[in-house]
């Protein structure tokens, strides 16, 4: 069964890969244009994903504000996505969170800017018309 | 076959374990952080697959193979993963060879057993013939 790569040696050490291959395969196949995946590629992708999880967690912890609190928070992760080039591909799924009130204020300011811009354009047009 | 949203997620328990083992003891991981990392992992798989697929296509192949995945890691700027992945690949190949040899050995043993059983059987038949 291709479900788990059992790499337990005689000493009973850890499996080669802990993530379920069947699930990794489902995700891989959902990628457009992918026809088939050889077993080695599947195993390596699963292993790479584990390495990625470790890396993302440790990087975010080291650079995050939660270090003093001995905690890893969402904030640490979204910081990583925003500030690190390597992890930038995660920016869309790990957006920064802001208070709703702040967001509404931002929207309002943006709207006011746009209205001012429009007024300015109208003035210019009427100036041109007169000259 | 359409995938349900849950199918694209990785099991929480495994993700949590990997995170805990990577971080120093006693560090608390918020539920939101765990969920975020899990989602990030799924996105990583998609990104890696798409990247690896490009290499396969360049090589005019329809099947993604190990070297495509390794090339993808370099492309995605995860060179640090390449060495451990190569080690894992070697270990996997050894294991596969081991399994193959084990099953071939089993088959040989089985054949040998069947042969000796047949020999015993024909010896018995000879004995019977002598008696009758």
């Amino acid at each position: 069964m291709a479900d788990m790569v059992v790499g337990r040696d005689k000493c009973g050490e850890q499996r080669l890969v802990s993530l379920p291959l069947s699930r990794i395969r489902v995700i891989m196949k959902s990628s457009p244009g992918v026809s088939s995946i050889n077993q080695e590629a599947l195993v390596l992708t699963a292993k790479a994903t584990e390495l990625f999880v470790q890396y993302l967690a440790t990087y975010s912890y080291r650079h995050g504000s939660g270090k003093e609190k001995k905690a890893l928070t969402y904030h640490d992760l979204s910081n990583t996505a925003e500030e690190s080039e390597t992890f930038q591909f995660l920016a869309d799924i790990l957006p920064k969170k802001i208070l709703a009130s702040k967001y509404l204020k931002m929207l309002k300011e943006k709207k006011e800017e746009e209205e001012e811009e429009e007024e300015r354009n109208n003035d210019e047009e009427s100036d041109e018309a007169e000259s | 076959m359409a995938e349900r949203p849950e199918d694209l997620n990785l099991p929480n328990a495994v993700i949590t374990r990997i995170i805990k083992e990577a971080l120093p003891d006693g560090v608390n991981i918020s539920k939101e952080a765990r969920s975020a990392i899990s989602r990030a992992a799924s996105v990583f798989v998609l990104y890696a697959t798409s990247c690896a697929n490009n290499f396969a296509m360049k090589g005019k192949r329809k099947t993604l193979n190990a070297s495509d995945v390794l090339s993808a890691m370099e492309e995605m700027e995860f060179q640090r993963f390449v060495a451990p992945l190569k080690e894992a690949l070697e270990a996997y190949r050894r294991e596969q060879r081991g399994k193959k040899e084990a099953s071939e050995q089993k088959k040989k043993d089985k054949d040998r057993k069947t042969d000796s059983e047949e020999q015993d059987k024909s010896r018995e038949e000879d004995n019977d013939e002598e008696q009758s």
Side-chain angles (χ1 to χ4, degrees):
Chain A
M1 246 302 138
D3 240 47
M4 293 232 241
V5 178
V6 184
R8 225 171 254 284
D9 4 88
K10 299 166 228 163
C11 327
E13 267 175 38
Q14 281 192 339
R15 300 172 177 277
L16 201 51
V17 162
S18 328
L19 289 168
L21 295 183
S22 51
R23 199 76 69 87
I24 298 277
R25 169 183 275 271
V26 167
I27 303 173
M28 291 178 85
K29 291 218 102 175
S30 74
S31 179
V34 168
S35 340
S36 49
I37 303 157
N38 110 357
Q39 192 69 5
E40 288 182 348
L42 179 59
V43 171
L44 286 192
T45 303
K47 184 72 186 169
T49 307
E50 290 184 13
L51 295 172
F52 172 78
V53 168
Q54 291 169 349
Y55 187 26
L56 178 60
T58 50
Y59 185 99
S60 302
Y61 179 67
R62 268 181 289 135
H63 291 81
S65 50
K67 216 163 55 171
E68 301 87 49
K69 298 177 286 177
K70 284 211 97 187
L72 180 67
T73 62
Y74 176 85
H75 180 73
D76 299 328
L77 294 164
S78 65
N79 264 346
T80 296
E82 188 171 292
E83 284 154 28
S84 159
E85 248 191 65
T86 313
F87 291 108
Q88 214 150 74
F89 70 96
L90 298 172
D92 285 345
I93 60 146
L94 300 180
K96 288 271 177 137
K97 296 205 285 188
I98 58 176
L99 289 173
S101 54
K102 204 171 168 198
Y103 182 66
L104 291 171
K105 188 170 173 223
M106 273 167 65
L107 278 181
K108 190 169 170 219
E109 284 171 4
K110 192 172 177 214
K111 191 170 178 211
E112 284 167 10
E113 264 177 44
E114 285 170 5
E115 282 170 6
E116 275 175 33
E117 180 76 16
E118 240 192 271
E119 269 183 39
R120 251 178 276 139
N121 288 342
N122 288 341
D123 285 346
E124 282 172 11
E125 281 175 14
S126 51
D127 284 346
E128 283 172 8
E130 283 169 26
S131 54
Chain B
M1 182 179 79
E3 294 87 20
R4 288 166 297 150
E6 328 59 280
D7 293 339
L8 299 182
N9 290 335
L10 294 162
N12 281 326
V14 183
I15 295 285
T16 301
R17 182 161 33 98
I18 299 171
I19 299 171
K20 283 204 140 92
E21 287 174 0
L23 294 176
D25 280 341
V27 173
N28 183 49
I29 308 136
S30 75
K31 195 168 165 201
E32 258 196 313
R34 260 184 282 154
S35 154
I37 293 179
S38 185
R39 275 179 289 133
S42 299
V43 170
F44 173 82
V45 174
L46 282 172
Y47 183 17
T49 304
S50 159
C51 213
N53 197 39
N54 287 338
F55 284 101
M57 292 197 296
K58 263 191 232 169
K60 304 212 169 121
R61 280 174 287 106
K62 285 196 168 172
T63 307
L64 285 191
N65 65 23
S67 77
D68 296 328
V69 177
L70 292 171
S71 304
M73 292 301 119
E74 298 230 18
E75 178 88 357
M76 291 160 70
E77 305 203 5
F78 288 112
Q79 288 94 339
R80 54 175 49 218
F81 294 172
V82 173
L85 285 177
K86 283 184 173 171
E87 269 183 47
L89 182 58
E90 273 318 296
Y92 176 72
R93 285 174 173 169
R94 273 198 307 267
E95 188 187 271
Q96 293 305 105
R97 276 196 298 268
K99 276 191 199 163
K100 190 178 178 206
E101 283 163 17
S103 70
E104 280 169 5
Q105 187 59 38
K106 259 196 202 165
K107 188 170 187 296
K108 273 191 218 151
D109 290 344
K110 193 178 170 208
D111 290 345
R112 215 179 298 142
K113 194 179 174 209
T114 317
D115 285 347
S116 64
E117 277 176 356
E118 285 175 358
Q119 278 176 16
D120 288 343
K121 231 179 156 184
S122 56
R123 229 179 288 133
E124 277 174 25
E125 287 169 356
D126 289 345
N127 287 345
D128 287 343
E129 284 173 6
E130 283 174 4
Q131 283 171 8
S132 54

